[in-house]
Amino acid sequence: MERTAAEGTTGSSAPVSDGAANGSPPHDAHPPRYDACLPDVSGLLDGMPRQRGPVPDLPAPAPAVEPSEARSRLRVRPWRLLPTPTGTPFTFGYGAVLALTSLVTEYADPALVHHLHQASSTDVAHLVQTPVPVLLASALWIAGGILSPYAIGLVLVLTALERRIGGLRTAGVFLLGHVLATLATEVPVGLAVLAGHLPDSSLHRLDYGVSFGVAAGVGALAGLLTPWLRWPLLAAFGAMLVQDLLAFADPMTNWGHLMAFAIGIATWPVTRGWHRARTARERSAVAA
């Protein structure tokens, strides 16, 4: 763009001095300013846009992540899979109690062990007489020993769940599956005995262990995992329960496992809310 002042562009001609009229060069004539037609733009360069006004502040670049910090984010910490007294007190304490009762089962007199198991059984007769004590006592024993699949699953599942929603809420999910699945399998037996479809001996049976609570914990934990972990876990555990049911070795217990698993899945809206609230509190504590 040209910025020279051409004659006639402003609507009037430049004044002529006396010396110019006589043919001699003017003594006090000043050459026209280069940018006289554009006021207050002297010193700007042609063809350079956005020279007026202050330069806007640019956002500061994000700090580069140190390689050591990036490695720490991706670092696998296998010890977090196991319970600790401070990180997961409920799972750690409950696991210690189950380890103790497993030692009793292994080394105590068999007659004493049978009596303890029978007194802790959640059959219809005990549920009618002492429902609350027997429901709690039945969760103190592990059917199959300390190395059974449900014992290992209890440690891993409850640890992961407690790290996400806290100890009291993990205990609530466990007890919810344990109690509801027990009642859902035993109440129909009592009604069938009253209707005459089953003998009176069906009111007395050995029914104890942690498997219902573990199944509920697996269902609840799946809702807090990423999709690439959630759906394989649901498919694998659900297929195992269906396979046990089709084997028809213990239909009542196997139906209870499926019910407890469904109960855990039904807690997703609540457990996800607990997980979000716990994560927000941890982040605010770190920021403070």
Side-chain angles (χ1 to χ4, degrees), residues 206-288:
L206 283 179
D207 187 11
Y208 62 90
V210 299
S211 58
F212 289 172
V214 173
V218 173
L221 177 63
L224 305 178
L225 300 177
T226 56
W228 66 274
L229 286 175
R230 177 188 310 141
W231 302 116
L233 176 61
L234 290 175
F237 193 75
M240 183 188 72
L241 297 183
V242 172
Q243 184 178 2
D244 291 342
L245 183 61
L246 295 178
F248 211 71
D250 189 357
M252 185 179 300
T253 301
N254 294 333
W255 274 114
H257 290 157
L258 279 174
M259 293 176 185
F261 186 47
I263 290 170
I265 294 175
T267 64
W268 283 6
V270 178
T271 54
R272 284 173 173 173
W274 289 342
H275 178 52
R276 286 192 296 267
R278 182 180 177 88
T279 303
R281 287 196 303 268
E282 290 176 350
R283 289 178 178 174
S284 61
V286 171

Side-chain angles (χ1 to χ4, degrees), residues 144-172:
I146 195 65
L147 296 180
S148 65
Y150 276 101
I152 299 174
L154 179 140
V155 173
L156 298 177
V157 170
L158 294 191
T159 298
L161 191 60
E162 185 172 358
R163 292 192 185 278
R164 288 165 172 81
I165 64 175
L168 291 178
R169 290 165 177 172
T170 299

Side-chain angles (χ1 to χ4, degrees), residues 11-282:
S12 61
S13 59
V16 182
S17 61
D18 294 339
N22 297 330
S24 58
H27 296 287
D28 53 356
H30 299 284
R33 293 176 58 183
Y34 177 75
D35 50 2
C37 63
L38 297 175
D40 298 332
V41 295
S42 60
L44 300 181
L45 300 177
D46 293 341
M48 297 291 292
R50 301 181 64 86
Q51 296 184 70
R52 294 178 180 271
V55 179
D57 296 333
L58 297 178
V65 179
E66 296 293 336
S68 59
E69 184 179 353
R71 285 194 298 269
S72 65
R73 292 179 181 178
L74 300 176
R75 186 182 304 164
V76 178
R77 294 174 289 182
W79 59 87
R80 289 181 61 84
L81 299 176
L82 300 176
T84 59
T86 56
T88 55
F90 165 71
T91 306
F92 185 86
Y94 186 38
V97 171
L98 292 175
L100 180 61
T101 57
S102 297
L103 291 176
V104 172
T105 303
E106 184 70 22
Y107 296 105
D109 181 70
L112 175 62
V113 172
H114 178 73
H115 175 73
L116 292 175
H117 285 170
Q118 192 174 31
S120 304
S121 176
T122 52
D123 54 20
V124 177
H126 285 99
L127 287 175
V128 172
Q129 296 173 2
T130 55
V132 175
V134 77
L135 283 170
L136 295 177
S138 64
L140 299 179
W141 306 95
I142 299 179
I146 195 65
L147 296 180
S148 65
Y150 276 101
I152 299 174
L154 179 140
V155 173
L156 298 177
V157 170
L158 294 191
T159 298
L161 191 60
E162 185 172 358
R163 292 192 185 278
R164 288 165 172 81
I165 64 175
L168 291 178
R169 290 165 177 172
T170 299
V173 172
F174 180 89
L175 286 176
L176 184 68
H178 175 72
V179 172
L180 292 185
T182 298
L183 295 178
T185 53
E186 294 294 343
V187 169
V189 173
L191 295 177
V193 171
L194 290 176
H197 299 296
L198 289 176
D200 293 344
S201 60
S202 300
L203 301 177
H204 305 275
R205 59 188 298 268
L206 283 179
D207 187 11
Y208 62 90
V210 299
S211 58
F212 289 172
V214 173
V218 173
L221 177 63
L224 305 178
L225 300 177
T226 56
W228 66 274
L229 286 175
R230 177 188 310 141
W231 302 116
L233 176 61
L234 290 175
F237 193 75
M240 183 188 72
L241 297 183
V242 172
Q243 184 178 2
D244 291 342
L245 183 61
L246 295 178
F248 211 71
D250 189 357
M252 185 179 300
T253 301
N254 294 333
W255 274 114
H257 290 157
L258 279 174
M259 293 176 185
F261 186 47
I263 290 170
I265 294 175
T267 64
W268 283 6
V270 178
T271 54
R272 284 173 173 173
W274 289 342
H275 178 52
R276 286 192 296 267
R278 182 180 177 88
T279 303
R281 287 196 303 268
E282 290 176 350

